[in-house]
Amino acid sequence: MRGKFITFEGGEGTGKSTHAALLAHRLEALGVGVLLTREPGGSPGAEVIRHVLLSGGAKPFGPEAEAILFAAARDDHIQCSILPALAAGKWVVCDRFADSTRVYQGALGKLDRRLMKALERISVGALSPNLTFVLDVPAALGQERAARRRDGGSPDRFEAEGIEFHENLRQAYLALAASEPERCVIVDASRTKGEVAKRIWAAVNSRLHPATAPFVFEKTPA
Ligand code: TMP
């Protein structure tokens, strides 16, 4: 692939969407072509599946069915959005990716490891992020931030889980990041937005050297 692939992971209220967007803008300011995207979703087909999953519509069918739907959404997102962008030399900045399935459905949903591996092989194949940020905050702080962001709105399927779920989620992310230190960078996201953004930018610069990325020519529609 010609471009680079950066993912943001972590529990609820860790600031993934904010920092993915800040990084995308910063890369664009350097002249790097960027696709800012998210999971579940990121392509028209996957956005439909996102709605089914986050509304809780798939919950009655059980965690296996949810994992299959996450994989179907990911497959569509990769084929329709991520691979074409990478092939064009863009940098793809993605709010959640396959680590979310490993943690939410695998570590916490306790799904069969062979099913998880098979789904990942079918949907993701050999694609792997060049860099993954795991944004880490204590579960209680994350829940507080997520509630503030909802501003009275109702929590989605996973936000509605209890504090124990969110604490286990945090530990599962930390364990995953520790098992792949060459790809994953843990960032203390309880710090200020500016400090977190600075840490992220330093890691992107030292590991991926965006200042030397080739210019991507964007065709304007006729
Ligand atoms: P968010 O995009 O607002 O974080 O919502 C996505 C929710 O879906 C979040 O609670 C995590 C969950 N999720 C999974 O359980 N598995 C996955 O593979 C992905 C991408 C998300």
Side-chain angles (χ1 to χ4, degrees):
M1 65 190 186
R2 291 177 51 220
K4 301 279 184 209
F5 185 24
I6 302 172
T7 58
F8 282 80
E9 294 281 356
E12 318 295 326
T14 50
K16 293 176 303 301
S17 311
T18 303
H19 286 288
L22 281 175
L23 175 62
H25 291 143
R26 209 152 182 184
L27 288 168
E28 277 167 346
L30 263 189
V32 177
V34 176
L35 171 70
L36 173 63
T37 186
R38 68 168 181 184
E39 288 208 347
S43 61
E47 287 291 332
V48 174
I49 302 176
R50 176 185 175 94
H51 176 71
V52 173
L53 282 163
L54 298 194
S55 66
K59 192 177 174 186
F61 300 105
E64 280 89 1
E66 285 184 316
I68 290 167
L69 285 172
F70 276 115
R74 181 159 302 128
D75 180 54
D76 192 65
H77 183 212
I78 291 172
Q79 298 305 326
C80 298
S81 306
I82 297 179
L83 290 182
L86 290 173
K90 287 190 179 180
W91 287 40
V92 175
V93 178
C94 192
D95 180 356
R96 295 194 181 279
F97 189 62
D99 294 318
S100 285
T101 300
R102 289 180 180 180
V103 168
Y104 281 78
Q105 282 67 50
L108 274 83
K110 300 203 173 12
L111 288 190
D112 182 82
R113 285 171 65 89
R114 283 165 309 170
L115 171 68
M116 298 299 296
K117 282 203 157 152
L119 288 175
E120 189 168 312
R121 195 179 61 243
I122 295 164
S123 58
V124 180
L127 178 66
S128 174
N130 299 98
L131 181 57
T132 294
F133 289 104
V134 174
L135 302 194
D136 179 54
V137 296
L141 176 59
Q143 284 205 298
E144 196 185 303
R145 284 182 179 173
R148 219 178 304 140
R149 186 186 56 201
R150 286 196 300 275
D151 193 23
S154 46
D156 71 27
R157 154 78 177 88
F158 295 94
E159 286 170 342
E161 297 280 355
I163 186 76
E164 197 187 335
F165 175 93
H166 292 281
E167 193 48 52
N168 291 339
L169 196 66
R170 181 187 188 197
Q171 297 310 327
Y173 265 121
L174 291 175
L176 186 146
S179 73
E180 289 192 55
E182 65 295 338
R183 172 173 70 87
C184 299
V185 173
I186 299 169
V187 179
D188 176 0
S190 61
R191 293 176 174 275
T192 65
K193 191 162 115 181
E195 285 169 337
V196 173
K198 203 167 156 190
R199 172 87 179 89
I200 289 169
W201 187 238
V204 169
N205 267 309
S206 67
R207 291 181 177 228
L208 302 179
H209 316 293
T212 60
F215 181 74
V216 176
F217 178 68
E218 294 268 8
K219 278 193 213 134
T220 41

